[in-house]
Amino acid sequence: MGAGGRMPVDPKVKKSQEEVLERVPVAKPPFTVGDIKKAIPPHCFQRSVIRSFSYVVYDLTIASILYYIATNYIHLLPHPFSYVAWAIYGFVQGCFLTGVWVIAHECGHHAFSNYQWLDDTVGLILHSSLLVPYFSWKYSHRRHHSNTGSLEKDEVFVPKHKAELRSFAKYLNNPPGRVLTLLVTLTLGWPLYLLFNVSGRHYERFACHYDPQSPIYSDRERAQILVSDAGVLAVTFGLYRLAAAKGLAWVLCVYGAPLLVVNGFLVLITFLQHTHPALPHYNKTEWDWLRGALATVDRDYGILNKIMHNITDTHVAHHLFSTMPHYHAMEATKVIRPILGDYYRLDETPVFKAMWREAKECMYVEPDESGKNKGVFWYNNKL
């Protein structure tokens, strides 16, 4: 039997659509974080510098091969095949660079090695190369992990109450409106979040990831925000010099298109991990860390799961133990699923279908309609 008298979950059994959309329990779990951790083999928490670097080398090798092929052979193709080839290159390169992004994300969680200075050095280099302010995002993301599922304190994809929706929301609640919303979200969502905290937590004054004085950060963190800014500026200057030497079109094809794919996947992955009809949000009267961490969902991206180092299908385990290296997360997930029981949610709905469903069904949150669970909120879309 699993925790709380539940039968163990068979990972091989695929749930029906009705089961996937069934709401997760909101009562305090019959297990603790300690119970979950005890079930995970100790080696899953061990970080290896050599193994972690092997993934960096692998990803950068693939990216280098793709760059070499693109810059040496695509221009030999006749039109319009060259345009098609550049589009394919941009998508494939973006997928592998998302893997690089994930490794830098691990550095921010101190999951890369046992040495904080090494994690920060590698993370700063990798994230800066993708125009991500490493320390700025590291600290806001840490607060996201500390407050997941909280309507007041979570940092990313914080749902609105119905009364907080903009007046034009009803005009976007249709297929063309959803297409437009998703297009803007996937292309501009990441820079808008970094610059203006769009979809983030409400602050009493302007919040920006590039501003050392932003209310997102504490006084001891502000100097490192400047380091992040310097890293992004250095890479931006390098891109400017490349554009001057090779031309803007060359930079956009070789670097810009893959970066657009990286940013799109980052937003899509985060959106689908924290937005689901079966997942609750909590206000301050009901929220606690464990239930918040469990208010996430694992998704299946097919072959991209491996390319993106399983950040897609081991997210629940990641929220429970964020310092665990990604290469142990699959093993840990298989172990904890029977313990979590109904509190664990895996949705294997095809990604684009899930994206459309969540955009349609999850427009805002409202209190639990039964009235029994005050402080618990569920997604709705009725305007």
Side-chain angles (χ1 to χ4, degrees):
M1 297 289 283
R6 294 179 181 83
M7 292 298 293
V9 177
D10 184 353
K12 296 179 182 179
V13 176
K14 189 171 182 177
K15 288 189 174 183
S16 67
Q17 186 74 1
E18 291 74 18
E19 290 175 308
V20 165
L21 296 177
E22 184 180 347
R23 291 176 175 177
V24 301
V26 294
K28 291 187 182 296
F31 49 79
T32 65
V33 179
D35 296 330
I36 304 170
K37 189 172 183 178
K38 287 176 185 176
I40 300 174
H43 72 263
C44 288
F45 298 97
Q46 295 175 3
R47 297 164 288 203
S48 166
V49 172
I50 294 175
R51 188 167 182 183
S52 292
F53 264 115
S54 73
Y55 289 96
V56 177
V57 172
Y58 175 81
D59 285 346
L60 295 182
T61 299
I62 297 295
S64 299
I65 292 171
L66 291 171
Y67 165 81
Y68 177 82
I69 293 172
T71 55
N72 284 277
Y73 296 103
I74 289 182
H75 72 277
L76 300 176
L77 296 173
H79 299 303
F81 298 108
S82 59
Y83 296 113
V84 175
W86 276 118
I88 293 172
Y89 161 80
F91 178 77
V92 176
Q93 183 74 289
C95 290
F96 281 97
L97 290 181
T98 302
V100 174
W101 197 101
V102 171
I103 293 173
H105 156 266
E106 292 237 315
C107 292
H109 281 294
H110 194 24
F112 186 82
S113 76
N114 293 328
Y115 309 99
Q116 186 67 65
W117 67 268
L118 180 61
D119 287 24
D120 286 340
T121 302
V122 173
L124 178 64
I125 293 171
L126 295 181
H127 260 172
S128 296
S129 70
L130 296 171
L131 298 182
V132 178
Y134 170 73
F135 287 107
S136 308
W137 183 83
K138 168 185 172 178
Y139 291 130
S140 68
H141 189 64
R142 176 185 295 174
R143 289 178 175 85
H144 160 60
H145 271 257
S146 298
N147 300 284
T148 307
S150 167
L151 287 172
E152 291 88 6
K153 294 185 177 181
D154 200 353
E155 288 283 347
V156 63
F157 281 114
V158 182
K160 296 181 182 297
H161 298 281
K162 187 175 183 179
E164 296 173 328
L165 291 177
R166 299 289 180 89
S167 58
F168 55 77
K170 61 182 178 182
Y171 301 111
L172 297 175
N173 189 24
N174 52 64
R178 281 190 283 276
V179 169
L180 178 62
T181 301
L182 287 170
L183 252 159
V184 171
T185 301
L186 295 178
T187 55
L188 299 177
W190 178 237
L192 288 175
Y193 171 66
L194 293 177
L195 283 166
F196 306 111
N197 199 39
V198 173
S199 85
R201 169 185 172 181
H202 172 73
Y203 286 97
E204 293 301 323
R205 59 187 181 88
F206 179 67
C208 171
H209 279 73
Y210 300 99
D211 178 12
Q213 298 304 315
S214 173
I216 301 172
Y217 309 114
S218 65
D219 288 340
R220 67 178 183 84
E221 296 165 348
R222 301 192 193 283
Q224 289 181 308
I225 308 309
L226 290 173
V227 175
S228 298
D229 292 347
V232 172
L233 285 173
V235 174
T236 302
F237 179 72
L239 291 171
Y240 165 76
R241 295 299 299 269
L242 266 177
K246 297 277 192 177
L248 180 60
W250 188 92
V251 172
L252 290 176
C253 288
V254 172
Y255 180 85
L259 185 67
L260 197 63
V261 173
V262 172
N263 292 349
F265 267 124
L266 167 60
V267 172
L268 177 62
I269 290 168
T270 308
F271 171 67
L272 290 182
Q273 285 168 340
H274 296 282
T275 308
H276 194 282
L279 297 181
H281 280 76
Y282 304 93
N283 69 15
K284 60 186 177 182
T285 66
E286 191 69 19
W287 181 88
D288 62 64
W289 183 86
L290 180 55
R291 281 185 294 170
L294 292 172
T296 59
V297 57
D298 287 345
R299 302 278 189 171
D300 184 9
Y301 285 66
I303 191 174
L304 293 180
N305 290 334
K306 291 298 180 185
I307 293 175
M308 298 174 184
H309 306 306
N310 297 106
I311 194 175
T312 48
D313 55 345
T314 63
H315 190 67
V316 176
H318 171 65
H319 261 271
L320 291 169
F321 307 104
S322 60
T323 59
M324 179 189 296
H326 69 86
Y327 41 82
H328 292 313
M330 283 299 295
E331 181 181 356
T333 296
K334 291 176 183 177
V335 170
I336 67 176
R337 283 185 65 174
I339 298 173
L340 301 183
D342 292 337
Y343 287 86
Y344 174 81
R345 188 53 42 99
L346 167 66
D347 190 339
E348 297 176 288
T349 303
V351 171
F352 288 106
K353 182 179 179 181
M355 177 179 68
W356 183 260
R357 183 190 67 201
E358 267 55 296
K360 178 182 178 181
E361 301 293 335
C362 304
M363 294 190 64
Y364 62 89
V365 291
E366 61 180 4
D368 187 284
E369 61 271 15
S370 69
K372 296 178 182 179
N373 301 305
K374 293 183 178 179
V376 179
F377 293 74
W378 301 99
Y379 282 109
N380 205 331
N381 68 343
K382 294 179 176 61
L383 295 178

